[in-house]
Amino acid sequence: MSEPVIRSVPRRRSGPVPAPYGTWPSPVDAALVAAHDGRPEYAGAVGTELWWTEPRPAEAGRRALMRLRPEDGTAEEVLPAPWNVRNRVLEYGGTPWAGAPREHGGPLVVFTHFTDQRLYALEPGAAGASGSPAAGPRPLTPLSATGGGLRWCDPVVLPGRGEVWCVLEEFTGERPTEVRRVLAAVPLDGSAAADRAAIRELTTDEHRFVTGPRLSPDGTRAVWLAWDHPRMPWDGTELKLARVSDGALTGVRTVAGGPEESLVQAEWAPDGGLLFVSDRTGWWNLYRAAAPDPDDGRPGPVDARPLCPREEEFGDALWKIGLRWFAPLEDGLIAVLHGRGGLRLGILDPATGELTDAPGPWTEWAAALAVTGTRVTGIAAGPRRGWELVELDTRTGRGRTVAAHHRDLVDPAHLPEPEPLTVSGPGGREVHAQLYPPRSPDRTGPPGAAPPWVIWAHGGPTSRAPAVLDLEIAYFTSRGIGIAEVNYGGSTGHGRAYRNRLRGQWGVVDVQDCAAVARALADRGLADRARLAIRGGSAGGWTTAVALTGENGTGGLFACGAVYYPILDLTGWAADETHDFESRYLESLVGPLEEVPERYRERSPVTHADRVRVPFLLLQGLDDVICPPVQCERFLAAVRGRGVPHAFLAFEGEGHGFRRADTISRAVQAELSLYLQCFGVERDDVPRLELRP
């Protein structure tokens, strides 16, 4: 593979020259942003091989299944288009594939195909042979017309049992909340491909939500997580333990967790001990319990000890089933992700509590750890590196990139340098953010002028914005527009108390914290007070829309806003206008609807459309079932005719979060055009967004 040509703009030998902010030439164009949108996901080991999925924005956003050829270390795509290795469990999806080595004929891999949501088996041949199987994948599960198909995730392939065990999500009616989830066993011989009755259910639907099973090293016990409405998994989960007897799960009992204790992952140590991450102290820390016995007759929780007690997070919000923040090694050590505000890779000795961080430029690691022998592989990035697959050899302490290598697509001098920022919000509370100031090797701002800034509100809202290289951010900063990502109260990475700030306060704390960062930038002379904007998607779209209505002291603060696939009407969202996973989320974020109906109405942007005074851009995927288009339609109907310049871009074939290259390109260009018009900046290389009242 040839090295890419690094894009740049002609350099001036005399150094950067003053030019109005927003007018700077940039090699980061919309096509480049779109082509490199997304990141590798779901890394896992199949014997000694590494497998994962990769985004394909140019192929309608499909996810390709990849493997690393062990004989030469090259990455190959296992399945051609249109195979799309992704599922819709919880609508956000969960781990879509798993594999197991075999003595002869190469590994056996199962995966979910997004188009029909069926589970398929794949036998790609002997290790080192071409990844394209001669016969192609064969279906293991039947089609279902209800709910878009039977849905599967977090599989465990058990060739000795002739089954794959996984989470089954099954719709029982047309409403998004008419759904059940259980652990199920699917025959590997394909006998259930046309026969739902051939699928064995391993658990009852006692709990609304479950994660996939984790079997003990001797195969006699299994653990999984479970929780119920109205809790979200970061509020409270239960760790379930069962005996595996004749292919059934018996003696099921709860051994940890509860309504106010969040467990986000559980695994078995090689010696049979039980490991899990819990926030029982206010921080997600790692715990170990002696090998529990489901038949010992002991009710209640098991005794567990913290392995490395710290005011740090060793986990994060469980938005997708199957995420892995830690992974045991065969020698007893444990690979862990940990930190405050971000997660880095470390190797923990559970006997001593000693934690040694991995070397290298990677400052953020995704919850996708895989172990083969003494090697740990994960998906990592940094302020100057995009997401790539990184391997750490625990014997030598050496880390190296093994796949999806970062390459400098533009001169790094055009890329922003993140700066951490902590400001005081209302009542003196700390608010965390990371700043991406404008940066160019060839241009600087006019003397005495401050640049425009855009406040980014992340989605979730129980989530966070990582400080890593993002070409979408660089698209704006390289042109002279600053970006500030705000990890407002309610975000993860700073302990349970910080997360709980948003309880009952959504639309208040998040908006106030974003406003606090914007004002701090202006007060410190870093930003032009008259040229501040706000943007966000999903829950961040909600925060943006609430801010534009002037709620909670934001009136007149922002000159415009970009609102991506938002929540705009709380009452509608709580009444079957979203998916099951988040259908009761508002009970903690706002309050129970039956108790505080007026709060739902008063906080909703659709109720206060008459307060919007500044231009805005609204972008929506027409296939979105999480934040459906009807919310945008309702808001636009309330705004229309009020004289507020705005634009609405709707995209066919897009769901919640844009995946297609043409959509992403159009969206970033439209957003930039909005800012240029509202900030009074002229440039002729961006398609003009038509704003109509």
Side-chain angles (χ1 to χ4, degrees):
M1 179 182 295
S2 62
E3 291 295 316
V5 176
I6 298 178
R7 299 189 188 184
S8 188
V9 294
R11 286 288 185 93
R12 294 176 180 269
R13 295 183 178 180
S14 58
V17 298
Y21 291 109
T23 68
W24 301 353
S26 171
V28 185
D29 60 23
L32 186 67
V33 172
H36 295 274
D37 184 74
R39 69 185 189 191
E41 284 187 304
Y42 302 115
V46 183
T48 60
E49 292 186 10
L50 177 67
W51 290 56
W52 69 97
T53 68
E54 272 188 6
R56 295 287 184 266
E59 300 176 32
R62 80 176 182 100
R63 302 290 306 193
L65 185 61
M66 308 291 295
R67 76 191 288 195
L68 197 66
R69 294 171 59 93
E71 71 277 10
D72 60 10
T74 60
E76 66 178 11
E77 187 171 301
V78 178
L79 292 168
W83 292 105
N84 188 357
V85 182
R86 181 177 157 223
N87 58 65
R88 290 181 59 185
V89 174
L90 305 188
E91 293 298 350
Y92 291 113
T95 300
W97 74 272
R102 297 181 298 175
E103 291 186 10
H104 305 288
L108 172 64
V109 174
V110 299
F111 69 93
T112 55
H113 179 43
F114 186 75
T115 301
D116 58 16
Q117 292 298 301
R118 298 174 85 180
L119 196 65
Y120 287 81
L122 172 68
E123 300 172 56
S130 171
S132 300
R138 52 185 175 84
L140 299 180
T141 57
L143 292 167
S144 172
T146 304
L150 296 176
R151 304 177 184 184
W152 312 87
C153 79
D154 208 6
V156 178
V157 181
L158 304 170
R161 297 181 182 273
E163 294 178 324
V164 52
W165 289 13
C166 47
V167 174
L168 162 61
E169 182 177 83
E170 181 175 27
F171 282 78
T172 58
E174 296 300 326
R175 297 173 60 195
T177 54
E178 294 178 325
V179 62
R180 60 193 296 269
R181 299 175 188 88
V182 297
L183 299 184
V186 178
L188 287 169
D189 62 7
S191 58
D195 183 8
R196 169 66 176 80
I199 297 167
R200 293 193 307 116
E201 295 191 6
L202 300 170
T203 60
T204 67
D205 54 3
E206 172 190 2
H207 295 285
R208 190 74 167 196
F209 304 96
V210 291
T211 63
R214 298 291 182 264
L215 273 65
S216 60
D218 61 6
T220 63
R221 290 157 295 160
V223 291
W224 64 95
L225 300 178
W227 69 97
D228 294 287
H229 282 321
R231 297 192 303 274
M232 300 299 287
W234 41 87
D235 296 323
T237 55
E238 297 178 17
L239 179 57
K240 314 297 284 191
L241 169 71
R243 170 74 61 187
V244 180
S245 178
D246 296 325
L249 299 179
T250 63
V252 179
R253 69 184 178 101
T254 299
V255 294
E260 291 293 326
E261 181 182 353
S262 169
L263 283 71
V264 294
Q265 185 189 347
E267 306 283 347
W268 297 94
D271 64 0
L274 181 58
L275 304 169
F276 59 88
V277 171
S278 166
D279 72 348
R280 59 182 57 176
T281 64
W283 297 86
W284 276 311
N285 276 196
L286 184 61
Y287 293 81
R288 176 187 166 96
D293 184 351
D295 302 325
D296 63 9
R298 292 179 54 194
V302 294
D303 294 329
R305 64 181 179 89
L307 297 182
C308 186
R310 294 186 179 191
E311 289 191 347
E312 289 186 3
E313 304 285 38
F314 286 70
D316 211 311
L318 187 65
W319 279 100
K320 297 181 179 182
I321 293 175
L323 300 180
R324 300 189 76 194
W325 290 274
F326 73 88
L329 283 80
E330 294 175 356
D331 59 7
L333 299 177
I334 306 171
V336 298
L337 304 183
H338 72 103
R340 295 185 71 163
L343 294 175
R344 58 190 180 275
L345 175 65
I347 302 299
L348 173 65
D349 184 341
T352 64
E354 182 180 356
L355 181 57
T356 304
D357 284 339
W362 307 284
T363 57
E364 185 74 58
W365 292 70
L369 295 181
V371 168
T372 53
T374 60
R375 292 174 293 139
V376 179
T377 305
I379 299 167
R384 299 172 187 83
R385 301 184 74 86
W387 294 98
E388 50 191 350
L389 274 85
V390 179
E391 177 190 272
L392 173 69
D393 188 330
T394 60
R395 294 173 303 178
T396 65
R398 178 173 176 260
R400 65 187 183 100
T401 303
V402 294
H405 297 70
H406 167 81
R407 287 179 169 81
D408 289 326
L409 302 170
V410 301
D411 183 341
H414 291 276
L415 302 177
E417 298 274 359
E419 303 172 6
L421 175 72
T422 301
V423 304
S424 293
R429 65 176 182 250
E430 285 190 345
V431 180
H432 301 287
Q434 50 240 11
L435 307 183
Y436 296 87
R439 186 166 186 249
S440 170
D442 309 301
R443 301 291 189 274
T444 187
W453 281 75
V454 184
I455 304 299
W456 280 25
H458 63 69
T462 310
S463 184
R464 63 184 176 87
V468 299
L469 177 62
D470 185 336
L471 288 180
E472 187 173 7
I473 291 176
Y475 179 78
F476 297 101
T477 58
S478 61
R479 287 166 169 79
I481 299 173
I483 301 293
E485 289 190 301
V486 183
N487 285 312
Y488 47 79
S491 301
T492 58
H494 301 280
R496 185 173 183 117
Y498 196 87
R499 296 200 313 271
N500 285 353
R501 286 183 187 178
L502 215 55
R503 284 193 171 183
Q505 296 296 308
W506 196 37
V508 180
V509 165
D510 50 324
V511 176
Q512 291 175 343
D513 287 358
C514 286
V517 171
R519 291 193 179 97
L521 291 173
D523 291 345
R524 300 179 188 189
L526 300 175
D528 183 342
R529 192 180 299 271
R531 296 194 293 172
L532 295 169
I534 185 169
R535 71 94 84 164
S538 190
W542 152 270
T543 301
T544 299
V546 174
L548 294 181
T549 64
E551 289 288 274
N552 299 303
T554 58
L557 180 61
F558 298 112
C560 61
V563 186
Y564 285 73
Y565 35 87
I567 301 161
L568 297 167
D569 180 358
L570 293 178
T571 304
W573 208 69
D576 277 355
E577 284 186 3
T578 191
H579 60 152
D580 182 64
F581 178 51
E582 293 179 88
S583 62
R584 304 280 296 276
Y585 195 5
L586 298 183
E587 293 193 26
S588 61
L589 292 176
V590 182
L593 177 60
E594 63 275 12
E595 295 178 16
V596 290
E598 191 61 20
R599 186 183 298 169
Y600 278 62
R601 195 189 75 82
E602 279 301 313
R603 288 196 191 165
S604 294
V606 71
T607 305
H608 303 296
D610 59 312
R611 296 179 182 172
V612 180
R613 297 285 187 270
V614 298
F616 67 90
L617 168 63
L618 184 57
L619 307 99
Q620 177 69 44
L622 293 179
D623 294 344
D624 194 338
V625 297
I626 297 173
C627 294
V630 67
Q631 295 247 324
C632 291
E633 295 165 7
R634 201 172 294 146
F635 183 74
L636 290 169
V639 169
R640 198 169 292 120
R642 297 185 179 275
V644 178
H646 66 278
F648 176 51
L649 300 182
F651 299 98
E652 295 276 0
E654 291 285 9
H656 195 66
F658 300 153
R659 296 174 179 271
R660 299 170 180 248
D662 53 349
T663 301
I664 297 164
S665 179
R666 176 75 178 104
V668 297
Q669 288 178 325
E671 186 178 344
L672 177 58
S673 180
L674 171 74
Y675 301 148
L676 297 178
Q677 293 180 57
C678 295
F679 295 158
V681 178
E682 295 290 339
R683 58 186 307 155
D684 58 10
D685 60 346
V686 179
R688 185 174 178 83
L689 176 70
E690 186 175 358
L691 299 171
R692 294 181 176 178

